[in-house]
Amino acid sequence: MSFYNDLITHAPAIIIAIPLLFAFATPLIGKINKYVRNAWAFTAVLLSGALAYVLAWEVFKNGGDPNVYVFGGADGTAFDVLSNVRISFYVDGMAAFMGIIMATVAFAAVIYSFSFVKKYTGQDKYYTLILLVLAASFGMVFTGDVFNLFVWFEVSSVAICGLIAFRSNRGESFEGAAKYLIYSTIAGLFLLFAIGLLYGQYGHLNIKYLSSAIGANGSMMVLDKIVLGILITVFSLKAGAVPMHMATPDGYSEAPAPVTAMMVTASQAGLYAVFRTCFTLYGGNIQNSLAQIDLVHAAGYLLVILGVLSMFVGVTLALVQKDIKRLMAYHAISQTGYMLLGVGVGLAVFASGDNTDFAEFGRTAMTGGIFHIFNHALYKGLLFLTAGAIIFKAGTRDLNKMGGLGRDMKMTALFFIIGALSIAGIPPTNGFASKFLIYESVFKFNPVLGAVAMLVSLLTLASFVKVFYAAFMGPKNPEMKTGEVPKSMLVGMAVLAGMIVVFSLLPSLVIGEIVSPAVTSLAGPGPEIGTSLTMFSGQGAWNPLVLLAVLGVTLVIGYVIRMLGQKGTVPKGEGKKPYLFGNPTEVNGMPFVVPASNVYWGFTRALKRYYKPMEKMHSGLINEYVFWFVATAGLVMLALTFL
Amino acid sequence: MEFFTFLYDALHFMVLFGIVGSALLVVKFKDLVSATIALAACSLLVSLEFFILQAPDVAIAEAAVGAGLTTAILIFAIKSTRGREEY
Amino acid sequence: MCKIVTLLPNNTHLNSYTVYAKSAFEIVGVMEAPDMFTFLVTFLGVFVLYLLLVWGSGDADTAYWAIEEVFAGLILSLISAGVARMMLGKAENTKMFLKWPLFIVYVPIFLVYLAKANIDVAYRVITGRINPGIVRIKPGLKTDLGRTVLANSITLTPGTLTVDIDKEKGDLFVHWINVQETKSEEEKVKAVCGSFSDWARRLTE
Amino acid sequence: MMSEIPYFAVVALIAIGLYIVMFKRNLIKLAMGIVLIETGANLFLITLAYRHGDRLSSPIFTSQIMGGDAAAYSLPTPHALTLTSIVIGVATTALLLAFFMKLYQKFQVSTIDDMRRLRG
Amino acid sequence: MSWDWAMITMVVLVVISMFFMLLGAIGLHRFPDVYTRLHAATKATTFGSIFLAIAVIVYAVFRITDPETLDVNVGSYITLAVHTFIALVALLITNPTGAHAIASAARKAGVVPEQAVIDEYEEVE
Amino acid sequence: MSIGHLDVILIGVSLLAFGMLISLLRLFLGPTSPDRVVALDTINTLVVGMMIGLGAFYEQVILIDIAIVYAILSFVTTLFIARYISSRKEKEESQ
Amino acid sequence: MKEMSPIVKTITKISFAAIFLFGLYIILHGHLTPGGGFQGGAIIGTLMALYLVAFGAVKWRKKVLSIIESTGLLVFIGTGLLGLTTGYFFFNFIGGTDNPIFGQQLNGGELIGDVAFPSNSAPLLSSGTISIMNMAVGLEVIAALTLIIVTMGLFAFAGSEEGE
C-alpha cells in the first residue's frame, strides 16, 4: 500500500509529467516506426488518464478535500515560507472533476486519431502537440498559483494553434489558426497584466494566499475590481463566451476533428478558471466583507449575462451555417452558455448572503452547470468526432453537398443520434439531466431565463435535425467513398458514446459521487441532490429508468397492436412512397432536393433584422474581433467598478 | 548629491521617452522595414531599461530575443510577404 | 532517407547511416592532421577568452582562477572549437596565426590614425565641408582576411568607408569623404589607405 | 517618485500596441503590435520588482542577502515571470509570423482584409 | 571632492568620450546622406566608446591599487576591467563591419551618394 | 557638492542618453531605410557605452556581460536588416 | 539566399568560436551570473542566425536538430522526475551541503566584500541540479531557435532570389 500512497501523493505532478515526457520523446520514438509511435501516444494518455481517475477517486472519497503538492519542496504537501515562489498544485474536487474530463476526451481523441491522421504528414508533431494540449489542460486545472495558470494557458493556446494549422494543404487552416492565436495571445497578455497587478498588491501568486488576502481588510480596491474584470473576460474568451467568441468557430472548424474534441476540453479549462476566480480567489473571504459580497454578486450577474448571450447568439448563428464543423462550433458556444448561466446563477445567489436561497436553488443551478461541463465534453466531443467521420468519408464539409451517408455508416449514424439527442436535452439522456437541473433552478431565479434556456434547447434540436437530414438521409453523392470509417475511429467514438449512455442511465449517481464534491469544493458543503437512482432538484425529480421502463412498455404495446393488425395490406397510389427527408421530389416537373441551407428558410427570413447585424459583426476582420474583446473587457471592468 | 539624483532620474526618463517614442514610430512608419527598425530600437531600449531596473537576466533575454530573433523572423516574414503596408 | 536541409551540394547519394556516421565524426571532431593546426589555434584563442571571462573567480589572496573553472573552460573551449571547425571548415590562411605579435605594433599606429580620423570627422561635422565620392582601389591583397583587416581598418580611419568588395580581384570600393585627384593607382591606394595596406599584407601574408 | 515613471511607459506601450492591433490592417504590423503589448507587460512586471533603495542591486545570490538588507534587492519572482513570458512571447511571435508567411504563400494575403475566408 | 590622479584621468577621458559620442549623434543630422552619416556615426561613436571604456578601466585599476580597498575585493574589479575590455573589443570588431554592411546594402539598394564628385561603383552595376 | 569617481561616469551616461535621443530623431526623420539603420547602429553603440558606464556606476561588475551580449546581438540585427535592404530598390520616401 | 560580402564572412569566421564560447559561458554560469539556459541558448541561436545571414546557406539537418531539442527537454523533465526518488518533483537531489562534488559551500561572505562580487559569486559547482537543467534548457533552446531560424529563413529565401 505504501507504493499506492506514494503514487497518490505524487499523482498531481506525475499526471502532468507523463504527457510532457511522452510528448518530448515522441519525435525520437517516431523515428522507429509509426506503430510504436502510436502505441507510445496511447500509453501516455492511458497512463495519465488512469492516474487522473485514481487521483479523482481518492479526492472524491475524501469529499473533495484538496491534494496539495509543492514542487521541489522537501515536504511537498505543506505550504511553507517559500511557497510564494514555489510552484504548487492544488487538486480539490473541482480540479479532479475537470481532470477526469480531460482524461476521458483525450483518450477517445487519441484512439480516434490513429486512423484519422494516417494520410497526413508530420504525425510526430501531431502527437507531440496533442499530448502537450493534454498536459496544458491538466496544468490549467491542477495549478495552485495564478502565474502557472498563465503559462499553461499560453502553452495550450500555442499547441492548439499548431494543431489547427496541422492540415497545411488547406490555406484556411492557417487563417483560422492565426486568428485564434492573435486572439488568445492578446488575452494571455491581459492575463499577464492582471497577474502583475495581483502580485504588485499582495506579493503572492499562490491562489490560496491570494484568496485569503483579497478583501481581508473588509474593502475592495479599484485594482481588485479591475483584476476581476480582466480575469473574467480573459477566461471567458478561452471558454468562448459570446462577445469574445468570434475566433472560436474559426479555430474549431478548421482543426482536425480529434483536435476539436481536445479544444473543447481546453476551453472548459478556461471555464474552470472563471469559476475558480469567482469562487475561490474572490469568494474566499466572502463571509466577512460586504464589499466583496457586492463585487461577487455583480460578477455572478455578469456571468449570467454572458451565459444568456452565448446561448442565444450561438444557437441562432448555428442554425444558418452550412459548414458542419462550424455549425457544431457555434453549438459549443451555445452550450457553454448553459454552464455560465447555471454557475452564474449559483454565484449570484451564493454571494447574495441569503443562505436559504442558495440551499434551495442556487446550489442546484451550480450542480446543473458543473454537471453540464462533463456532459458537454462527452457529447460535444462525440459530435465533433462524428463530424470528422462524416468529413472523412464525404470529402466535403458543406452540408449541401453531402447526403445518404446513413446507408453505409450505420454506427456513425447511431453515435450521431446519441450525441444529438444528448445535446438537445431529449429526456432519457444525460444532457437532459443537467439541463433539467438548470431549467428548474434558473426558473426559480428568474422565469425569463428558464424560458430562454428551453427555447435554446429547441433550436438546438432543430439544427441537429438539419444536420442529420443533410448528412445521413437522402440520395447518395456518387463521388463519395463507401463503407464505414476505420475501426479506431469507431472505437474512439464508442468510448464517448458509452460514457454518455452510462451517464444517461445513472445521472443521480454521477451527481452524487462526482459533481457534488466539485460543487462542495467551490461553494462549501450543502445538501445532496442525488445519491440514489432518483435525482431531486428541489422542485422536481428525475429518474431515467422510469422513463425507459415506460418507453419499453409503450414499445411492447405498439408491437402488440401491430401484430393484431391485418396482414398483407399494401399501400397504393401516392401513399405508397412516404416522403423521406432529403429524397428527391419533383417541383414543376424537375427533380429537386431541398438543400440543407434552406431547411429553416422561413425562420431566418423572419429574423432578417437580427441576422443582418450579426453577419456584420462576424466580419472575419481580426481587428474588429480584438476590438470586441477589448470593449467587453472595458465594459466588464466599468460594471464591476461602478456597480 | 541632489544633482546626481536628478541626473539619474533624468537619464531614466530619457530612456523611457526613447522607448515610447520608438513605439510611436512603429505605428507611424508605413514602410514595414522601417517599422521593424523602430521595433528593434524599442526592444533594445527596453533591454536598457531592464538593466536600469536591476533585472540583468531579463535584460540579456530581451536583448537576445527582442533584438536578435524577433527582428530576424520579422525580416523573414516581410521578405516572404509583400513588404510594404498598403494603407 | 535523411532529409538534408542544405543549399550546398547535398549528400543524397549517401544512405542515411553514412550521413549519420559522417556527422558523428564531425561532432566528435575527428579530422585529418593538417586541420589540427586550425583547431588548436581556435581552441587556444577561445580558451584564453574564457580565462579572461572568469578572471577573478578564484580565491582572492592566492590565485585568480578557480581550478574547476579552468577545467570547465577546457571542456567548453574544446566544444566550441570543435563546433567552429565543423561549421566553418579550416581557415584559409593559417600562417597569420604566427604573426600575431605584430598586432602589438599595429594597434598603437591604428589608434593614432583613429584619433586623426575623429578630429577629421569633428572638423567636417562642425564645418560641413565635404567632397564625397566612391572610388575603387586595388590594394592587391590576396586573402579575404587581409582584405577584411584592411577594410575594417580604413572604415575607422580618416574619411574613408568601405562600401563593397570585389570578390574575384579583391578591389575595394571606398566611400571617400574628401576625394582628391590622384595620378597613379599606387598613389590612390596610398591616399586612401595610408600605410594600412602594407600593414594588412604584413599581418596576413 | 521617479521609480513610478516606468508605469506611464507601460501604459503607453500597451495602448500603442492595442491601437495597432485594433486599427492597423497589415498583418506584419499586427504582429509588431502584439510584440509591443508583450513588451509593455514585461516592463510592468519588472517595474513592480524594482525597489528604490540606497543600494541598487540585482537579485543575485550573495552573502548580503543572508546578513544584510534584503529590501534593497529587486524582487526575483517577477524576473522569473518575465523570463517565462519572454520565452512564450518569442514562441508566439514566431508561430504567428509563420502562419502569415504560409497564408501569403497560399492566398497572397498581406492585410487582414484578405484574411476573411472564415466568417459568419 | 577628491582630485586624485584617477579622478583627473577619468574626467579627461569622459570629456573626450562625450565630445565624440555627441559628435556622432549630431553628425547624423549634419550630413546629407547615408554614407557621410555613417562616417560620423561609426568613427565617432567607436572612438568615444574606447575612451569611456578606458575611463571605466582606469577606475577599476584605481580601486585595485587603492590601499583602502585593496583588501576588500580585488577580483571584482579585475572582472570589471577585463569584461569592459572584452566589450570594447566586441564593439571594435562589430562596428566597422556593421557600417560596411549598411553601406553595401544602401549602395545595392540604389541610394546614390549625394554631392558625389565621383562614383566608380556605377561601372560595376 | 562632492563628486565621486562614479559620478563622473554618471554624467557621461546621461549625456549618452541625450545623444541617444538625438539619434532617435534621425530614426524618425529617415528619409530612407538605410538612414534609419544608421541611426539604429548609432543608438546601439551609445547604449553599449551606457551599459558599460552604468555597470561601473552600480558597481555590479557582472552587468558588463550584458553590454557584451548587446554589442554582439545588435550587430546581428544590423546585418539582418542590411541583408534585406540590399535586396530591394530603395525609393526616396517623403516621410 | 545569397551570401554577404567577404568582410562579413571573415568577421563571422573569426568571431564564431568566441561567441559560441560566450554563449556556453552564460549557460554554465547561469546560477552565478545573469543569464542561464535560455539566455545562453538565445545567444547561440542568434549566432546561428548570424551564420545563416553571412553565409547564406546552412547544412544542418532538421532531424538532428529536432533530436537535440527533444533530448534537451527530456533531460530537463527527467531531472525533475529523478527528484521523485529522494524527495519531490524537481527536488534538488544532488544539491545541499553534504554532497562532495556538487554541493560546495557558499563562500560565507569572506571572499565577497561590501561592494560587488567577482565574476563568480560562488563556486561553480554549488548548484546541484540547477546546472544540469540549465544545460538541458540551453541545448533545447539552441536547437529550437536554430530550427525556427532555419525553417523560416529557408521558407523566405528559398527559390526566388531577388534578381541576383
Side-chain angles (χ1 to χ4, degrees), chain E residues 83-116:
Chain E
H83 282 226
T84 309
F85 179 72
I86 293 172
L88 178 62
V89 171
L91 264 186
L92 277 180
I93 290 177
T94 55
N95 253 353
T97 317
H100 155 72
I102 297 169
S104 164
R107 195 65 195 84
K108 277 180 188 152
V111 177
V112 188
E114 273 174 37
Q115 307 173 13

Short mmCIF file of all heavy atoms in Angstrom, two decimals, chain E residues 83-116:
data_model
loop_
_atom_site.label_atom_id
_atom_site.label_comp_id
_atom_site.label_asym_id
_atom_site.label_seq_id
_atom_site.Cartn_x
_atom_site.Cartn_y
_atom_site.Cartn_z
N HIS E 83 36.13 42.53 -18.33
CA HIS E 83 34.88 42.43 -19.10
C HIS E 83 34.65 43.70 -19.91
O HIS E 83 34.15 43.63 -21.03
CB HIS E 83 33.72 42.14 -18.16
CG HIS E 83 33.65 40.72 -17.73
ND1 HIS E 83 32.50 39.97 -17.73
CD2 HIS E 83 34.61 39.88 -17.31
CE1 HIS E 83 32.76 38.75 -17.32
NE2 HIS E 83 34.03 38.68 -17.04
N THR E 84 35.00 44.82 -19.35
CA THR E 84 34.87 46.05 -20.13
C THR E 84 35.76 45.98 -21.37
O THR E 84 35.34 46.37 -22.46
CB THR E 84 35.28 47.25 -19.27
OG1 THR E 84 34.57 47.20 -18.06
CG2 THR E 84 34.98 48.53 -19.98
N PHE E 85 36.96 45.45 -21.15
CA PHE E 85 37.86 45.32 -22.29
C PHE E 85 37.26 44.41 -23.36
O PHE E 85 37.32 44.71 -24.56
CB PHE E 85 39.20 44.79 -21.81
CG PHE E 85 40.19 44.61 -22.89
CD1 PHE E 85 40.78 45.71 -23.49
CD2 PHE E 85 40.54 43.35 -23.34
CE1 PHE E 85 41.70 45.55 -24.52
CE2 PHE E 85 41.45 43.18 -24.36
CZ PHE E 85 42.03 44.28 -24.95
N ILE E 86 36.66 43.31 -22.93
CA ILE E 86 36.08 42.39 -23.91
C ILE E 86 34.93 43.06 -24.65
O ILE E 86 34.80 42.94 -25.87
CB ILE E 86 35.60 41.10 -23.22
CG1 ILE E 86 36.81 40.33 -22.70
CG2 ILE E 86 34.84 40.23 -24.18
CD1 ILE E 86 36.47 39.17 -21.85
N ALA E 87 34.11 43.81 -23.92
CA ALA E 87 33.01 44.52 -24.58
C ALA E 87 33.57 45.51 -25.59
O ALA E 87 33.03 45.67 -26.69
CB ALA E 87 32.17 45.25 -23.54
N LEU E 88 34.67 46.16 -25.23
CA LEU E 88 35.27 47.12 -26.14
C LEU E 88 35.75 46.44 -27.41
O LEU E 88 35.53 46.93 -28.53
CB LEU E 88 36.43 47.82 -25.41
CG LEU E 88 37.21 48.82 -26.22
CD1 LEU E 88 36.29 49.94 -26.63
CD2 LEU E 88 38.34 49.36 -25.41
N VAL E 89 36.41 45.29 -27.23
CA VAL E 89 36.89 44.57 -28.41
C VAL E 89 35.72 44.15 -29.30
O VAL E 89 35.79 44.26 -30.53
CB VAL E 89 37.73 43.36 -27.97
CG1 VAL E 89 38.06 42.48 -29.17
CG2 VAL E 89 39.00 43.81 -27.31
N ALA E 90 34.65 43.69 -28.64
CA ALA E 90 33.47 43.31 -29.42
C ALA E 90 32.97 44.49 -30.24
O ALA E 90 32.65 44.35 -31.42
CB ALA E 90 32.39 42.80 -28.48
N LEU E 91 32.91 45.65 -29.61
CA LEU E 91 32.47 46.84 -30.34
C LEU E 91 33.41 47.14 -31.50
O LEU E 91 32.98 47.45 -32.61
CB LEU E 91 32.44 48.04 -29.40
CG LEU E 91 31.13 48.39 -28.76
CD1 LEU E 91 31.27 49.69 -28.00
CD2 LEU E 91 30.06 48.53 -29.81
N LEU E 92 34.72 47.04 -31.23
CA LEU E 92 35.70 47.40 -32.26
C LEU E 92 35.61 46.46 -33.45
O LEU E 92 35.87 46.85 -34.58
CB LEU E 92 37.11 47.35 -31.68
CG LEU E 92 37.54 48.59 -30.93
CD1 LEU E 92 38.94 48.41 -30.40
CD2 LEU E 92 37.49 49.78 -31.85
N ILE E 93 35.26 45.21 -33.19
CA ILE E 93 35.15 44.29 -34.32
C ILE E 93 33.84 44.50 -35.06
O ILE E 93 33.80 44.52 -36.29
CB ILE E 93 35.25 42.83 -33.83
CG1 ILE E 93 36.68 42.55 -33.37
CG2 ILE E 93 34.88 41.87 -34.93
CD1 ILE E 93 36.86 41.19 -32.80
N THR E 94 32.75 44.66 -34.31
CA THR E 94 31.45 44.65 -34.97
C THR E 94 31.09 45.97 -35.62
O THR E 94 30.42 45.98 -36.65
CB THR E 94 30.35 44.29 -33.96
OG1 THR E 94 30.40 45.19 -32.86
CG2 THR E 94 30.51 42.89 -33.48
N ASN E 95 31.51 47.08 -35.04
CA ASN E 95 31.03 48.36 -35.56
C ASN E 95 31.44 48.60 -37.01
O ASN E 95 30.57 48.91 -37.83
CB ASN E 95 31.52 49.49 -34.67
CG ASN E 95 30.40 50.04 -33.85
OD1 ASN E 95 29.26 49.65 -34.05
ND2 ASN E 95 30.70 50.92 -32.93
N PRO E 96 32.72 48.51 -37.38
CA PRO E 96 33.05 48.78 -38.78
C PRO E 96 32.43 47.78 -39.73
O PRO E 96 32.03 48.15 -40.84
CB PRO E 96 34.58 48.69 -38.81
CG PRO E 96 34.97 48.02 -37.59
CD PRO E 96 33.92 48.28 -36.59
N THR E 97 32.28 46.53 -39.26
CA THR E 97 31.64 45.55 -40.12
C THR E 97 30.19 45.91 -40.38
O THR E 97 29.70 45.83 -41.51
CB THR E 97 31.73 44.16 -39.48
OG1 THR E 97 33.04 44.00 -38.96
CG2 THR E 97 31.44 43.10 -40.48
N GLY E 98 29.52 46.31 -39.30
CA GLY E 98 28.14 46.73 -39.47
C GLY E 98 28.03 47.92 -40.39
O GLY E 98 27.15 47.98 -41.27
N ALA E 99 28.95 48.87 -40.25
CA ALA E 99 28.93 50.05 -41.11
C ALA E 99 29.14 49.65 -42.56
O ALA E 99 28.43 50.13 -43.46
CB ALA E 99 30.03 51.02 -40.67
N HIS E 100 30.07 48.74 -42.75
CA HIS E 100 30.30 48.26 -44.12
C HIS E 100 29.04 47.60 -44.67
O HIS E 100 28.66 47.82 -45.83
CB HIS E 100 31.46 47.28 -44.11
CG HIS E 100 31.42 46.32 -45.23
ND1 HIS E 100 31.68 46.69 -46.53
CD2 HIS E 100 31.11 45.00 -45.28
CE1 HIS E 100 31.55 45.65 -47.31
NE2 HIS E 100 31.20 44.61 -46.57
N ALA E 101 28.38 46.78 -43.84
CA ALA E 101 27.18 46.09 -44.32
C ALA E 101 26.10 47.09 -44.70
O ALA E 101 25.45 46.95 -45.73
CB ALA E 101 26.67 45.13 -43.24
N ILE E 102 25.95 48.12 -43.87
CA ILE E 102 24.91 49.11 -44.18
C ILE E 102 25.25 49.84 -45.48
O ILE E 102 24.39 50.04 -46.35
CB ILE E 102 24.76 50.11 -43.03
CG1 ILE E 102 24.30 49.40 -41.77
CG2 ILE E 102 23.75 51.18 -43.39
CD1 ILE E 102 24.38 50.27 -40.56
N ALA E 103 26.52 50.24 -45.60
CA ALA E 103 26.90 50.99 -46.79
C ALA E 103 26.69 50.14 -48.04
O ALA E 103 26.13 50.61 -49.04
CB ALA E 103 28.36 51.42 -46.67
N SER E 104 27.12 48.89 -47.93
CA SER E 104 26.97 48.00 -49.07
C SER E 104 25.49 47.82 -49.42
O SER E 104 25.11 47.88 -50.60
CB SER E 104 27.61 46.67 -48.69
OG SER E 104 27.20 45.68 -49.56
N ALA E 105 24.67 47.62 -48.39
CA ALA E 105 23.25 47.42 -48.63
C ALA E 105 22.64 48.66 -49.26
O ALA E 105 21.85 48.58 -50.21
CB ALA E 105 22.54 47.08 -47.33
N ALA E 106 23.01 49.83 -48.74
CA ALA E 106 22.45 51.06 -49.27
C ALA E 106 22.85 51.22 -50.73
O ALA E 106 22.03 51.60 -51.58
CB ALA E 106 22.93 52.25 -48.45
N ARG E 107 24.10 50.92 -51.03
CA ARG E 107 24.55 51.09 -52.42
C ARG E 107 23.84 50.12 -53.33
O ARG E 107 23.45 50.46 -54.45
CB ARG E 107 26.06 50.89 -52.48
CG ARG E 107 26.66 51.40 -53.76
CD ARG E 107 26.48 52.90 -53.83
NE ARG E 107 26.71 53.43 -55.17
CZ ARG E 107 25.79 53.45 -56.12
NH1 ARG E 107 24.59 52.95 -55.90
NH2 ARG E 107 26.05 53.96 -57.30
N LYS E 108 23.64 48.90 -52.83
CA LYS E 108 22.95 47.92 -53.66
C LYS E 108 21.48 48.26 -53.82
O LYS E 108 20.86 47.93 -54.84
CB LYS E 108 23.08 46.52 -53.05
CG LYS E 108 24.39 45.87 -53.42
CD LYS E 108 24.48 44.50 -52.79
CE LYS E 108 25.87 43.95 -53.00
NZ LYS E 108 26.25 43.00 -51.94
N ALA E 109 20.93 48.90 -52.79
CA ALA E 109 19.52 49.28 -52.88
C ALA E 109 19.32 50.49 -53.76
O ALA E 109 18.18 50.88 -54.00
CB ALA E 109 18.96 49.55 -51.49
N GLY E 110 20.40 51.08 -54.20
CA GLY E 110 20.26 52.19 -55.14
C GLY E 110 20.26 53.55 -54.51
O GLY E 110 19.80 54.51 -55.12
N VAL E 111 20.75 53.68 -53.30
CA VAL E 111 20.86 55.01 -52.70
C VAL E 111 22.14 55.65 -53.25
O VAL E 111 23.24 55.15 -53.05
CB VAL E 111 20.94 54.91 -51.17
CG1 VAL E 111 21.13 56.29 -50.57
CG2 VAL E 111 19.70 54.26 -50.63
N VAL E 112 21.97 56.74 -53.96
CA VAL E 112 23.10 57.38 -54.61
C VAL E 112 23.75 58.34 -53.63
O VAL E 112 23.05 59.09 -52.94
CB VAL E 112 22.62 58.15 -55.86
CG1 VAL E 112 23.81 58.66 -56.65
CG2 VAL E 112 21.76 57.25 -56.70
N PRO E 113 25.08 58.35 -53.53
CA PRO E 113 25.72 59.32 -52.65
C PRO E 113 25.47 60.74 -53.12
O PRO E 113 25.63 61.06 -54.31
CB PRO E 113 27.20 58.94 -52.72
CG PRO E 113 27.33 58.11 -53.92
CD PRO E 113 26.04 57.42 -54.11
N GLU E 114 25.08 61.58 -52.22
CA GLU E 114 24.76 62.95 -52.60
C GLU E 114 26.02 63.77 -52.72
O GLU E 114 27.01 63.51 -52.03
CB GLU E 114 23.81 63.57 -51.57
CG GLU E 114 22.37 63.25 -51.89
CD GLU E 114 21.45 63.74 -50.80
OE1 GLU E 114 21.75 64.81 -50.26
OE2 GLU E 114 20.47 63.04 -50.52
N GLN E 115 25.98 64.78 -53.54
CA GLN E 115 27.10 65.70 -53.77
C GLN E 115 28.35 64.94 -54.20
O GLN E 115 29.47 65.39 -53.98
CB GLN E 115 27.43 66.52 -52.53
CG GLN E 115 26.24 67.25 -51.95
CD GLN E 115 26.57 67.89 -50.64
OE1 GLN E 115 27.74 68.00 -50.27
NE2 GLN E 115 25.56 68.37 -49.95
N ALA E 116 28.16 63.77 -54.79
CA ALA E 116 29.34 62.97 -55.10
C ALA E 116 30.05 63.53 -56.31
O ALA E 116 29.43 63.90 -57.31
CB ALA E 116 28.92 61.53 -55.37
#
